[in-house]
Amino acid sequence: MTDVVEVRFKGNRKEYFSWPSAEPLALHDPVIVEVDRGEDLGRVSALGPIAAKKCGGACSGCSLASPLPPSPSPQSGEGERGGEARRRILRRATPDDTAVADHLHHEEDDVRRRVMERVKSHTLPMKVSDAEWQWDRKKLTVYFTAEQRVDFRALVRDLASLFHTRIELRQIGARDEAKRLDGVGRCGRQYCCSSWLPELRPVSLALAKDQHLSLNPSQISGGCGRLLCCLRYEHDFYVQTRKRFPKEGRVLRTAVGAERVLAVDVFRETVTLRTDGGDTRVVSLEKLKGEVSGADA
């Protein structure tokens, strides 16, 4: 039986592979997987129906879905998608395998600094975010951010002669950079994009308006400098909850008389009201509904 397995690598990068063996895998098991032109080491992060569902939900023609197109040339710097066979987990990783991976990770900070020096010498308008060795050292991936498209062909040739391996330069956005590097948000917790958020979806200012939040960018932006991811995944909660409350500006007939709704608090479930005379009060939503029902009767 062939199962779909989600495997995670450095920087919260994840891919899906087949596991044809009948011997079961467990979460966090280190495994050696088949990649283009070599092998890589990752850890199991999802199994069985959960992995299959996640794989299907994010499917855009991955290695499990269909054969991939031919690989570009090693010097192209383009993202690789080569290989004709479907990718699979080759075997469980041994302690020696994980020791090799740990050694490579310790080298990556120095590699990133050396890449930054070469970028500076080529005067390229790009910021090097991270470097990642493939477990078999047959490829080095350099992640960078840039405001515009960068012609890095000369840099790729320079790095290939420096590290004697295949070089891939991959441009990522500010959100993807935050996901790879991780950090602590303004809420005091680990970035959602690095911990549990399955995919990064577009976030617009309209979501902040719907939630009646301040439109000051410094107050609704995350560590990446973009709008907070929580504006997206919390939006449905605000929209559904506000349906239970009267709209701001609406005039209600209550036990006091005619009162205008000034504000609502969806967490405390309270409503702030003001009379024509200027007096304000705060009442619970449940009490307000009772007063309005009594007034209508």
Side-chain angles (χ1 to χ4, degrees), residues 4-8 12 14-16 27 44-60 62 64 179 195-199:
V4 176
V5 179
E6 180 186 79
V7 179
R8 286 188 181 267
N12 294 293
K14 64 182 179 181
E15 294 185 29
Y16 297 92
L27 288 177
V44 175
S45 55
L47 291 159
I50 295 177
K53 183 177 181 180
K54 293 173 72 174
C55 179
C59 183
S60 57
C62 71
L64 293 176
K179 182 175 183 177
S195 55
W196 67 271
L197 198 60
E199 61 178 319

Side-chain angles (χ1 to χ4, degrees), residues 161-278:
S161 63
L162 176 64
F163 295 107
H164 306 289
T165 190
R166 179 170 184 257
I167 302 296
E168 178 183 351
L169 288 177
R170 183 174 298 180
Q171 184 171 355
I172 59 176
R175 292 181 186 275
D176 296 300
E177 181 183 44
K179 182 175 183 177
R180 282 195 61 85
L181 302 183
D182 205 351
V184 177
R186 60 188 302 117
C187 58
R189 303 186 64 175
Q190 182 184 9
Y191 288 162
C192 296
C193 60
S194 299
S195 55
W196 67 271
L197 198 60
E199 61 178 319
L200 301 180
R201 300 173 61 190
V203 183
S204 67
L205 200 59
L207 301 178
K209 292 180 180 178
D210 288 345
Q211 298 173 34
H212 294 197
L213 298 175
S214 168
L215 300 184
N216 184 341
S218 65
Q219 297 183 15
I220 56 176
S221 298
C224 60
R226 302 296 189 267
L227 293 175
L228 291 163
C229 290
C230 55
L231 297 180
R232 162 65 67 180
Y233 65 75
E234 291 180 350
H235 184 252
D236 291 341
F237 165 79
Y238 279 94
V239 171
Q240 295 300 320
T241 303
R242 283 188 179 277
K243 291 180 179 180
R244 301 171 47 232
F245 289 80
K247 293 184 177 180
E248 288 90 338
R250 181 181 176 184
V251 177
L252 302 175
R253 180 68 60 179
T254 67
V256 176
E259 294 183 290
R260 186 178 299 274
V261 178
L262 291 184
V264 299
D265 189 326
V266 297
F267 295 103
R268 295 185 177 88
E269 295 209 341
T270 59
V271 181
T272 302
L273 304 168
R274 184 175 63 188
T275 64
D276 292 338

Side-chain angles (χ1 to χ4, degrees), residues 29-47:
D29 275 352
V31 291
I32 300 296
V33 301
E34 181 182 47
V35 294
D36 295 329
R37 306 181 185 183
E39 300 175 353
D40 206 356
L41 185 145
R43 290 187 178 272
V44 175
S45 55
L47 291 159

